[in-house]
Every structure is written in structure tokens, then in C-alpha cells.
Amino acid sequence: MTHYPGLLRIAPLLGETTSSLICRIASRYGLEAKALRSCWHWRNYQPGHDGGGTRADSEVLLNAAGRQLLAGLCGVKEDVLARALPSWGQEDAKLPDREDGVPAAAWRIGGAVAGPVAFGCRLCAARRTGTAVRVVRYTPRWQRVCVRHGRWQLDADADQPLEHLDLRDLPEVVQAQRRWASVRRRAVRTRAEPARVFALAQAVVARWWEQALQWERETIWPRRLHQVAGGDAGGDLERWRIVGRDAVVFPEVVAVADALLDPAMAELVWADSGAGRPRALPADGAFCRRLGELLGRGWLGPLAATDHGGPLIAWMGSVIRLRRGAGGPPGYDNDPWWLRQEHQAATGRPPRSPGVCCAGSVTAPA
């Protein structure tokens, strides 16, 4: 086994996968990643896609000797790596520390190690490291916009070639990223976990996204979808609806999260329920009507109010039960931010072959 001396200092990027760092180190030394990985004793094979090819979100776990070796190769102290790499120090049954000090490593899928994995912005990486190489990082879905360069960083687990979507003609998506910071602070002030608030809002909007193909009055999402597709989703609309969804609906997700955290909106729910004189939620309720207005879609209210069985109505029900003091002990049924499994936003993968336009024309609602 060949060992390479740490002649260069190659700092990790915050949230980077260990696998990504190893690839960047190899690039700086003029090596193939496979050659550098031979420094470790591997306990399993690198994960791949069903159709062949390695996964960009592959992650590496190291034993103590393996971590020491990596620190030497990049010329960075282990405590620096521990702060930057979310997978650093994670235990694994395949990696018991051996007395002979052999550096060992095991492959894992990043999403199962420390959360969602996305591509990093190459322009930011070049600004930081001097080299425009691919970077893969653990990035929650509410931090996918590179505000500096106007890019939406895509999931690294999908079997498709794109790393980002161009947002330079969609300033509202970039602005939504800035707005999320204030929404997150509001969630913390109300003792709601920001991740759960975002997940619920995303589920609400993703459900609308699936229904929007039948919304004749929807014009905002089709325009954005064509923009992220390079100007025209054309006959590949099915694929772009999968690849572009999270970027296209991001402003609405942030707006919905903000609205659900607003005590004034909860008061509208309470009034719609009849307050002290319980009644069924009306189709023309003030809450859904106001929500549609906040989203720039005054016509959306009745559609949202009659979408029974969806996450929005479930949230409204929890708000009403809490206000009435009804229900049992604290639990999912009385937790407005609890997201049922059937309501969770699906994460799909684009078809491997070009998709067929399923809406008849490129101007069809997305």
C-alpha cells in the first residue's frame, strides 16, 4: 500500500463529505481518486446506481488510523476536520479499531449518515480553494440557493448529470433564501423546530405542485420551470418537473412556512372553525383565502380549503384541537408540526431516457 506525504494544505469545506475531500486531495496531487483511496483498507464496495455508475453521494467512514492518515494527506489537524466533516468520527461495525493501526475505510450512502447531500457551488469552491472542482456537501433543503452566484444546488443522490440550476433570471428564488433566515428565527422564537416547519411547508406546496397541472390559472410556476430548464422545458417537461420542482416552488415553501408560524393566521383558523361554536371548515374560509393572497394567487383559497386529507388541513386540525384543549396527551395528533408519512414530499428521480411532454405544450401549467 502506497502512502503519499501531505505536502500541500487542502482545507475541508464546511459540511463536505469525506469522500468529496478525498477526491479533492487526489486532484491536487495529480492523482486519480482511485489511486489515493488505495491508501486505505476498504471493507466494502462503493455504492452505485441501479442502472450502473457510482453515486455522487457516496460517503466514507474511517477508523482512527484512517482519520489520522487523511489528516496527514491534507495537512490539516484532526480537530479541524472534525468540525468541518459531518461524518468524521462516526462509528461503524465494519471498522473496529485494529491494534496493528491499519487505516481502514467503509463506504456508505451519505443520506443515511448525516442528512441530505447536495452538490456544492463550483464557483464558490474555486473562490475558496483556487480550483473549480466538484464538491459534495451535506446541505439541508432550505439552504440550496447560492446567493452569490444565483444557483440552486441539486441533490447528489439522483442519477442525473446536472449539479445546479441557473437562478439568475429568478430573483424571487434567491430572495426566498434570504427570507428563510427570518422565518427560521421566528420558528426558534416560537420553540418550533425549523426543520419540521420547513418539511411541513414543503409537503403542503409539493401537494399543490402535483395538482397544478389542472390549474388553468397557474402561470407563475410554468414560467419559473421554463427558466430553470434553460428557457424551454419543451418535450422534456416530465423530467424537468422532477429536477426543477424544489427550486421552482421554493418561494412558496418559505412563504407558507412563514404563514403557518404567524399567530394571526392561527387566529383565522380558529375563527373559521367557529371558535366557541364548532363547525366544519368552510370552503371560503378566511385562513385559506388569506394564504392564497400571500402567495399571489387569490384563486387558490377554495382549492386549498377543500383539499381534505392533505397536510394543510391536518395542520389546521391540530391548531383547532390545541385551542380547544381537546384530544389526549401531547403527541403527534396535537402537534401542528408533526408530518404524517403519507404527507411527506416525495423525492423522485428523472427518467433515464428523455421524458415525454405530459401536458400537451410547453406552456402548460407546471
Side-chain angles (χ1 to χ4, degrees):
M1 180 173 59
T2 304
H3 291 271
Y4 298 95
L7 302 178
L8 302 172
R9 186 180 188 278
I10 305 165
L13 300 177
L14 186 63
E16 188 172 10
T17 65
T18 302
S19 176
S20 173
L21 177 59
I22 291 174
C23 289
R24 288 201 300 114
I25 294 171
S27 178
R28 287 292 302 276
Y29 282 111
L31 300 169
E32 291 186 2
K34 183 177 181 180
L36 185 62
R37 288 197 291 259
S38 67
C39 295
W40 288 270
H41 177 75
W42 293 89
R43 301 301 183 84
N44 57 356
Y45 294 102
Q46 185 172 2
H49 291 292
D50 293 340
T54 58
R55 296 178 58 121
D57 66 333
S58 297
E59 179 57 301
V60 172
L61 300 183
L62 305 171
N63 67 352
R67 293 192 292 270
Q68 184 178 13
L69 172 60
L70 181 61
L73 287 170
C74 60
V76 175
K77 294 182 178 180
E78 289 194 40
D79 61 337
V80 175
L81 294 172
R83 289 193 297 269
L85 305 180
S87 67
W88 189 264
Q90 291 212 22
E91 302 295 331
D92 189 276
K94 289 183 176 294
L95 294 173
D97 284 326
R98 297 172 54 173
E99 294 181 0
D100 57 9
V102 173
W107 287 107
R108 290 290 179 267
I109 294 175
V113 174
V117 181
F119 294 106
C121 176
R122 288 195 183 225
L123 297 179
C124 288
R127 188 170 179 267
R128 172 80 181 274
T129 67
T131 307
V133 296
R134 188 177 80 174
V135 174
V136 182
R137 302 172 58 230
Y138 290 99
T139 313
R141 301 193 186 283
W142 57 82
Q143 291 181 352
R144 295 298 176 85
V145 177
C146 173
V147 175
R148 180 185 298 274
H149 298 111
R151 291 181 168 185
W152 179 274
Q153 303 304 141
L154 291 166
D155 287 333
D157 64 347
D159 187 11
Q160 57 91 22
L162 296 177
E163 294 184 12
H164 72 272
L165 301 176
D166 191 343
L167 303 177
R168 286 176 294 180
D169 293 326
L170 295 173
E172 66 269 32
V173 181
V174 177
Q175 183 58 38
Q177 183 68 82
R178 295 190 176 98
R179 182 183 179 185
W180 169 251
S182 64
V183 176
R184 186 181 186 280
R185 288 193 295 269
R186 171 181 270 190
V188 172
R189 287 197 302 269
T190 60
R191 297 184 179 180
E193 187 178 341
R196 300 180 69 205
V197 174
F198 185 88
L200 179 61
Q202 185 183 45
V204 170
V205 177
R207 187 175 174 95
W208 291 341
W209 175 259
E210 295 305 318
Q211 299 167 354
L213 283 171
Q214 285 73 49
W215 290 353
E216 295 181 358
R217 301 177 68 177
E218 176 58 45
T219 60
I220 299 173
W221 285 345
R223 174 183 62 82
R224 289 187 198 149
L225 186 63
H226 289 310
Q227 289 287 352
V228 300
D232 187 356
D236 212 5
L237 183 61
E238 179 185 356
R239 172 176 173 267
W240 282 111
R241 274 180 52 81
I242 298 172
V243 174
R245 183 198 69 181
D246 289 349
V248 168
V249 305
F250 187 61
E252 284 74 23
V253 173
V254 175
V256 168
D258 199 12
L260 299 186
L261 287 165
D262 188 348
M265 295 294 284
E267 283 297 323
L268 294 181
V269 174
W270 178 240
D272 287 341
S273 73
R277 303 180 66 180
R279 66 178 183 185
L281 292 171
D284 60 346
F287 168 78
C288 287
R289 184 168 63 250
R290 178 57 180 155
L291 184 60
E293 293 170 354
L294 291 173
L295 297 175
R297 299 166 173 84
W299 46 266
L300 179 58
L303 296 177
T306 55
D307 183 22
H308 302 292
L312 184 62
I313 299 296
W315 176 86
M316 296 170 69
S318 296
V319 170
I320 294 167
R321 284 191 294 274
L322 285 173
R323 186 67 178 267
R324 289 180 179 158
Y332 70 89
D333 204 35
N334 292 330
D335 180 0
W337 309 116
W338 180 74
L339 184 61
R340 299 176 184 175
Q341 185 173 0
E342 62 268 25
H343 290 161
Q344 293 176 9
T347 55
R349 292 182 179 178
R352 294 185 62 83
S353 58
V356 177
C357 177
C358 59
S361 72
V362 296
T363 57

